[in-house]
Every structure is written in C-alpha cells, then in structure tokens.
Amino acid sequence: NRFDTIVKSFCEITPHGTAQSIETSFECSVPDYWSDETKAYYNKLMTQTSTDWGFFCASMPSDNSSSYSTTLTKLNAEQARLEAAFDHSFEIIPTYTHIAYGSTPHRFPNNMASETAGGNGFNGKPVLQFTYQFTTLNNSDLSGYTPMFDILRGKYDDQFRELAQDIKAYGKPVLFRLNNEMNTDWTSYCGIISLLDPDVFIMTWERLYDIFLEEGVDNCIWIWNPIATSCPYSNWGEALNYLPELDYVQALGLTYYEMNNGSSVSSFSSMYTTLYNKNMPWFDNYPWIISEFACGAGGEKLYNWGTSSYNDTVLGRNQALQAQWVKGMFKALNDKENNAFASHIKGAVWFSVNDYATIQGKSYITNKLSITDDLTQTIAAFKEGFAASKEE
C-alpha cells in the first residue's frame, strides 16, 4: 500500500530549458597553490612523449594495520619480480584506499607510500597513484549502504581532514584518483544508487577537494576517471554528467579492459582509439593516464551470458591472445604518428590482480589478469615492448 501510494504520487512535468552545448575543448590550468615539485612533475607529464608504467598487485594498508609487514613484503617482491622479468623499472606505484571497511576507518598509508614510492618524476623513485573510494563495503552489497549522503551531511569531514593532512605530510606529488568508474552500477558512489543524480557525485567530489584546499594540500593531481562504456546506458548516466567544475580536475583517467575469455580479442589500438574519439573533443589539453586496465589470459570459469551456468575451462588458456594484445599495445604506443591517441597517454597502470567469483561454495578465477611467471609468452611480449619503448 505504501509503495502504491508513492507510485500514484508521481506526475508528469513539462520539460523546460535547453541542454548545455559544449563547443570547444575544456581549458586545463595548473593550480597556483601547487608546490614547485608538483608543478614540475605535472609539466613533465604534459610534455613527455614516453609512457610511464605501473603494475597494481596489492593495496597499501594503514600504518597501524596488522597486515602491514606481510603486505609490504608482497608488494616489494611483486614489484621486484615484474621489474626483473620486464627489464624495466616502474615509474608509478598504485594503491587503493576506501573510506572504511564496515565501521573501521581507513587512513592514508603514509609509511608504506614513503617507503615504496616517494617519486617526483625526477628522483628515480615511482610516483604514487592513490585511488580513494567512497565505499565502506569494498563496493559490494550496493543495496545496503552508500556513504554519499552522509558525506554531504558532513559526517566524514573530520576523516577527510586527516586524509588531507596525511597526504600533505607525505609531501611528494600524488596522482589522486577519486571514485573511479562512477558511471556504472557496481560502485558505492555510482549514480544508480544516489537518486540517479550525478550532481550528488559532483557535490561530494567538490566537498573533499575544498577540504584539501582548506588544509593546504599542495601536492595532489586530481584524476577524473570514468569507465569506457557507461552502465546503465542512459543519458543521465553518461560520463560527462559526473564531471566536476574544471578547476577541480587536472588529468583524465582512462579505463578499458579486455577480459579475453572468448576466442578473440579487441585490440588495444581499437579500444583506446574509441576512447580517444570520445574524449578528444573535450580533454585535448589534459594529460591522459590509463589508471587501470589489463588484458586477461583466460579465466578458469567462463560465464555463459544469458544463462545461469559456468563452463569448465583451462586457466590461462588464452595466453597467446594476451601476448598478441600486449605486442599490439606497445606497437601502438610507440608509433605515435599512426596512432593519434598514443601521444596523449602519459601513464598506464596494469591491474595485475585476478577477478574471483564464488560458485556453489567454491572460488574461481573468472578473469585472469595477474601476470604470473607461467605466462611466459606475455612476459616476453612486455619485455620486448619495454625495450622498443626505450629505443624510441
């Protein structure tokens, strides 16, 4: 009865006004409050013709976390293993932090960031890419709780101030990626669970940004990072509807995965040319960073879309296709004359962590994205690609 009453209360209104027409590229300006070190790094990004690289393998915990030592060991080991395999030292080190998990707040990983990153683009250390997400449930159980409205009410202001103070204390430039993949239906801050209203996303973004300004943070380069294809497919859900005021964004983030669980792959060049054509009219003046992407090697279980069943498959069965995709990726990035998008891409971060699903109580790797030692063809393709990049 209550639901029927709500439905009957809706009435049609007459549309009014006209949609904003965007005729030219957005202007991107370097904030005058940035530190000299941050300005120098940003200028390097804007002018460099090479692509900086990073591989995500584990998130950095807060300084007082019980998993600190084990995570640090894993992170250092994975970085060393991949750098040795590729014969390339990474220029970016990525991590993810949430507002909280349940009622336990998460803080900026100051110690581990200082120990494993600390780069400024010139000192030979990797620059930190810090992804911060407004979620307390690791973007799961979306029918439960979203922090978005409590953020607007100021509930998290004190925590945001602590975050700002910690990042300021870190001191080095930070690629600050806030709430990636907002134009979807699988994050705790997506529009579909915040009244189908992208303005809620914008208001929370600008609230955090303003708190950073008040706390004197001068070392954050803010990355706005929608996913390649908006989901659900609706006008209100399209990426640009989530774009804050231009003074609140300094870089464009790109995300486009090829999960590679079928018998063919879409090439890196075709995928990122699509994103180039989509974003070029507006973001020509910004540095572009593929803040998260990968091509899989074939998961252990492959979902049959349109059914409720999974088929047994062989884990890593599509390694040859993955290696082919990586070769094509480097060929495109190194041939900027014939790939217009390549000159805009200043950084790329491979998401080297698998996707899992639990089926009938058993855990399966549905998307094998981690670059493990058994993927010899893929590793060879990376090594060859990095060598060619250095020659360029």
Side-chain angles (χ1 to χ4, degrees), residues 76 106 108 118 138 141 151-152 174 243 272 286-287 324 326:
N76 286 336
H106 289 178
F108 181 75
N138 194 20
D141 189 21
I151 290 171
L152 292 180
V174 175
L243 182 66
Y272 282 87
Y286 289 69
Q324 170 189 318
V326 171

Side-chain angles (χ1 to χ4, degrees), residues 107-331:
R107 295 193 61 166
F108 181 75
N110 217 323
N111 288 345
M112 197 172 295
S114 298
E115 186 168 348
T116 62
N120 62 6
F122 303 94
N123 61 2
K125 299 179 180 180
V127 173
L128 180 70
Q129 177 181 284
F130 181 74
T131 299
Y132 194 57
Q133 296 182 330
F134 291 166
T135 179
T136 62
L137 298 169
N138 194 20
N139 294 313
S140 64
D141 189 21
L142 299 188
S143 61
Y145 172 69
T146 173
M148 298 295 276
F149 301 102
D150 278 338
I151 290 171
L152 292 180
R153 297 182 185 107
K155 176 180 177 179
Y156 290 96
D157 281 5
D158 289 344
Q159 184 172 333
F160 289 165
R161 292 191 185 281
E162 289 182 352
L163 174 69
Q165 292 161 10
D166 287 344
I167 292 178
K168 182 179 180 180
Y170 170 70
K172 298 300 179 183
V174 175
L175 295 167
F176 188 86
R177 186 172 69 136
L178 178 62
N179 290 342
N180 59 301
E181 301 177 18
M182 77 298 286
N183 56 324
T184 61
D185 60 1
W186 58 76
T187 63
S188 295
Y189 40 82
C190 65
I192 202 166
I193 60 169
S194 54
L195 307 179
L196 312 185
D197 188 353
D199 282 351
V200 174
F201 176 89
I202 291 172
M203 287 187 289
T204 59
W205 178 295
E206 294 182 353
R207 187 180 190 95
L208 179 63
Y209 195 106
D210 287 341
I211 287 174
F212 273 41
L213 287 181
E214 292 169 7
E215 294 298 324
V217 179
D218 61 0
N219 55 323
C220 277
I221 298 167
W222 288 63
I223 302 174
W224 180 75
N225 190 173
I227 203 165
T229 303
S230 296
C231 178
Y233 308 103
S234 57
N235 287 339
W236 65 262
E238 275 301 314
L240 282 178
N241 290 324
Y242 294 87
L243 182 66
E245 290 294 326
L246 297 182
D247 288 346
Y248 290 73
V249 176
Q250 293 92 35
L252 173 66
L254 307 177
T255 298
Y256 205 164
Y257 280 88
E258 169 54 79
M259 295 307 182
N260 188 20
N261 280 322
S263 58
S264 62
V265 293
S266 297
S267 70
F268 173 87
S269 180
S270 65
M271 292 167 63
Y272 282 87
T273 294
T274 298
L275 279 187
Y276 173 80
N277 292 334
K278 182 177 182 178
N279 290 294
M280 180 61 181
W282 325 123
F283 295 98
D284 183 31
N285 300 312
Y286 289 69
W288 298 10
I289 298 174
I290 307 177
S291 304
E292 174 183 329
F293 82 125
C295 175
E300 186 177 2
K301 289 281 180 174
L302 173 60
Y303 185 66
N304 292 325
W305 295 109
T307 74
S308 59
S309 64
Y310 280 75
N311 286 339
D312 285 327
T313 57
V314 179
L315 185 64
R317 67 194 178 282
N318 287 342
Q319 178 185 171
L321 284 175
Q322 183 187 52
Q324 170 189 318
W325 195 89
V326 171
K327 288 180 180 179
M329 172 185 70
F330 278 107
K331 182 178 180 181

Side-chain angles (χ1 to χ4, degrees), residues 62 64 97-107 132 156 159 162:
S62 303
N64 60 352
T97 292
H98 303 153
I99 284 182
Y101 192 78
S103 60
T104 304
H106 289 178
R107 295 193 61 166
Y132 194 57
Y156 290 96
Q159 184 172 333
E162 289 182 352

Side-chain angles (χ1 to χ4, degrees), residues 57-58 67-80 112 115-116:
C57 58
S67 64
Y68 187 93
S69 296
T70 55
T71 303
L72 179 60
T73 299
K74 176 183 178 180
L75 187 59
N76 286 336
E78 275 295 279
Q79 292 289 111
M112 197 172 295
E115 186 168 348
T116 62

